[in-house]
Amino acid sequence: MQPLQAASLPPRIESQNAGPNGHTFDGHHKGDITGVSLDEKAFKVNELRLLSLQIEQLLTANRRKDEFLAILSHELRSPLASIQYGIGVLRGPSGEDVTVRRGMHELIERQVRQVTLLAAGLLDVGRITSGHLQVQLVQIDLRSILVRAIETLEPDFKGRDQEFVSTWTATSVSVMADASRLEQVFVNLLANASKYTDAGGQISLSLSVDDGRPIVRIKDSGIGIAAHALSNIFDLYVQADATAARSRSGLGIGLALVRSIVQLHGGSVIAKSAGPGQGSEFIVSLPARA
Ligand code: ADP
C-alpha cells in the first residue's frame, strides 16, 4: 500500500472572489440555502470519498499485518518444536546411537537455519517499511549471481523431483549490482517457483539482453496466479492464495523484498500468469549499462 500523503488529496477548489463558505463579495450567492457553495460541497464530497478510501486501505493493511503475525507465530513454532524434539531424542537413551545422533544434529541444524532465515526476513521487512533498505552497487557479471542462486535452490528442485532448465548468452552480462541482494531476488523467485509447483513440474530460468537491458525470466508450470491477484502480489504481506501459501510455508514478504531490491537497482519486475493451474512467470528487467 502506498503511504498516505497529504499530497494525494486533490487541490482545494477556490472560486474567484470567494469568501468563507464560498460566498462571493459581489453580493451574488453561489451556494444553496445552507449557505455552503456548490464548489465547497463538491470538494467536501470528494474529500470524504478519499478519506473513506484511505481508511479502507488502512484497515486492509492492518488486517494483513494481523494475519502476518498469526502466520509468523505458526512459522516460528514448528521449527522450534522440531528443535525441542531433537534435543529430547539426544538426551534420551536413543541419543547414544551414532546414526540417531547424526540425524538429530542435521534436523536441529536445518530448523535453526529456518529460524535464522525468518529473522533475516523480518529484519528486511523493517528495512523496507522504514525505507532503510540499501544496496552497494559494483560491476559484476549477472551470470555469476544467477549461478549462485540456482545452486542454492538445486536441492529443492531435486527434493521435489522438478525439472530445472536454464538458458543464457555465452558472453558475460555486466551489471551494476549489489551481488548478495540481487542473488536474494533470484533465490526468492526460484524458491517460489519450486514452492508453488507440484512434484514433477518444470521450472526454467533464462537470461537475455534486449536493447542493452538484461532480462531474467523465471517460469514455472505450477499453481498459477488468478488475474485479480496479479496487481498487488508484490505488496507486503499479500498472499494470492492464502491456503496454498500456508501449506507451503509462506510469510508474504518475499515478493515485496524482490520488488524493493530490483527498484533499488533501477530495474523493474512483473508477474504473469494465465490463471490458476496455468503456471507463472516473473520477469526482472535491469537497466542497460551506460
Ligand atoms: P510467500 O512467503 O507467501 O510465498 P511471497 O511474497 O514470496 O510470499 O509471494 C506472495 C504470494 O504470491 C504467495 O503467497 C503466492 O500466493 C504468490 N506467488 C508467488 N510466487 C508464485 C509462483 N511462482 N506461483 C504461484 N504463486 C506465487
Side-chain angles (χ1 to χ4, degrees):
M1 198 191 78
Q2 292 293 317
L4 302 178
Q5 287 174 332
S8 63
L9 292 172
R12 207 178 152 79
I13 306 162
E14 301 284 1
S15 60
Q16 228 186 356
N17 294 328
N21 298 329
H23 293 287
T24 52
F25 294 127
D26 56 8
H28 182 68
H29 178 235
K30 288 181 70 188
D32 58 14
I33 53 165
T34 61
V36 179
S37 81
L38 293 177
D39 277 355
E40 191 84 359
K41 256 192 167 171
F43 175 75
K44 291 272 180 230
V45 168
N46 208 17
E47 219 175 28
L48 277 176
R49 210 173 286 141
L50 274 166
L51 269 177
S52 74
L53 200 73
Q54 290 172 343
I55 289 170
E56 222 170 84
Q57 286 178 335
L58 280 175
L59 288 173
T60 306
N62 201 36
R63 184 176 43 76
R64 279 191 197 143
K65 208 167 199 171
D66 285 348
E67 286 167 3
F68 168 74
L69 288 175
I71 298 169
L72 176 64
S73 68
H74 171 263
E75 293 293 318
L76 274 173
R77 261 203 307 264
S78 62
L80 290 177
S82 298
I83 292 169
Q84 207 162 21
Y85 165 77
I87 293 172
V89 172
L90 286 175
R91 281 213 177 115
S94 49
E96 302 293 322
D97 185 291
V98 179
T99 321
V100 172
R101 239 194 354 251
R102 192 178 309 129
M104 288 304 114
H105 280 148
E106 280 169 12
L107 170 88
I108 291 171
E109 258 169 25
R110 261 199 322 274
Q111 302 302 331
V112 166
R113 214 176 308 134
Q114 181 68 14
V115 177
T116 311
L117 277 176
L118 270 175
L122 290 179
L123 266 180
D124 282 338
V125 168
R127 290 191 182 107
I128 293 177
T129 48
S130 64
H132 285 141
L133 192 68
Q134 283 177 348
V135 289
Q136 281 178 349
L137 308 181
V138 295
Q139 187 174 338
I140 189 162
D141 184 0
L142 180 54
R143 295 175 312 169
S144 65
I145 296 176
L146 294 174
V147 166
R148 277 203 299 277
I150 292 167
E151 278 169 4
T152 306
L153 266 301
E154 249 155 19
D156 293 53
F157 300 147
K158 278 209 186 91
R160 296 189 178 110
D161 201 18
Q162 292 161 338
E163 185 194 336
F164 175 75
V165 180
S166 61
T167 42
W168 53 61
T169 54
T171 48
S172 77
V173 177
S174 169
V175 287
M176 288 302 289
D178 184 315
S180 60
R181 283 294 183 189
L182 203 55
E183 186 181 327
Q184 207 179 350
V185 164
F186 299 115
V187 164
N188 270 322
L189 293 177
L190 287 170
N192 277 350
S194 175
K195 192 163 79 170
Y196 296 109
T197 299
D198 288 335
Q202 288 97 40
I203 294 157
S204 67
L205 178 151
S206 77
L207 166 63
S208 56
V209 180
D210 181 13
D211 210 10
R213 294 173 62 88
I215 316 272
V216 180
R217 293 182 150 83
I218 292 173
K219 209 171 170 175
D220 64 63
S221 63
I223 65 168
I225 302 165
H228 67 85
L230 281 171
S231 59
N232 65 351
I233 203 166
F234 291 95
D235 291 351
L236 206 48
Y237 312 132
V238 167
Q239 298 189 313
D241 181 341
T243 321
R246 212 146 300 175
S247 64
R248 296 164 203 244
S249 288
L251 275 182
I253 58 180
L255 288 184
L257 196 58
V258 162
R259 180 175 60 184
S260 299
I261 296 173
V262 170
Q263 285 176 346
L264 284 169
H265 282 81
S268 63
V269 55
I270 57 165
K272 284 183 172 177
S273 174
Q278 308 287 309
S280 311
E281 185 177 23
F282 287 81
I283 305 172
V284 176
S285 311
L286 293 169
R289 286 294 316 277

